[in-house]
Amino acid sequence: MAVSINFLAMLVLLMLSALATAETSLLAPSCADVTKAVAPCLNFLKGKGGADPSQACCDGARDLAKEARTKNDRQAICECLKTALGKVGSYDASRVPLIAKKCNVDINIPPINDKTDCSKAVSSIMPKSL
């Protein structure tokens, strides 16, 4: 009988652990993480520092691409980018999609500016292979 209770307790703990893990994986990337990922891209977006984004910018783009798994993830990333880029002053929104292209990141990102409707743009922010 004691073995059955211990087994049942272990099973309940495993189920709770699985639920906590599933809930955590459903959370969209934080704006702090998105901002940190794109911060090295500011010179490129402002047309400074050459025709190609820095390695740090490309690394951040790769990190973001890994986080863009669901529609909610992509919308959260878009909203964060829209907010963050709105605070940096002038930049060339047409250079936003170039980051993925020049960094060889398998994701499509539309130009993002203060007028971007992220609820519609999320269909563009997805891995190219989908």
Side-chain angles (χ1 to χ4, degrees):
M1 180 78 163
V3 173
S4 295
I5 292 174
N6 286 341
F7 176 75
L8 184 60
M10 182 62 88
L11 186 60
V12 169
L13 280 173
L14 287 172
M15 288 175 57
L16 290 173
S17 176
L19 285 173
T21 302
E23 186 175 315
T24 301
S25 67
L26 295 176
L27 297 175
S30 73
C31 281
D33 290 341
V34 172
T35 302
K36 183 179 176 182
V38 299
C41 301
L42 289 180
N43 281 339
F44 177 76
L45 293 174
K46 291 183 173 211
K48 301 175 182 176
D52 293 321
S54 68
Q55 185 60 49
C57 175
C58 291
D59 291 344
R62 281 186 196 85
D63 290 344
L64 276 184
K66 291 176 191 172
E67 297 295 321
R69 294 178 295 259
T70 68
K71 182 178 180 180
N72 287 341
D73 293 341
R74 294 186 292 271
Q75 188 164 352
I77 290 169
C78 178
E79 292 291 349
C80 290
L81 287 173
K82 183 177 169 180
T83 300
L85 291 173
K87 295 177 182 178
V88 300
S90 64
Y91 68 96
D92 185 351
S94 68
R95 292 179 73 102
V96 173
L98 294 177
I99 293 171
K101 181 178 179 183
K102 289 182 175 275
C103 293
N104 199 26
V105 176
D106 190 26
I107 193 167
N108 290 317
I109 301 174
I112 296 176
N113 60 35
D114 62 334
K115 294 180 177 76
T116 301
D117 182 347
C118 289
S119 67
K120 294 178 183 172
V122 294
S123 61
S124 298
I125 304 173
M126 62 179 47
K128 295 175 186 174
S129 57
L130 292 181

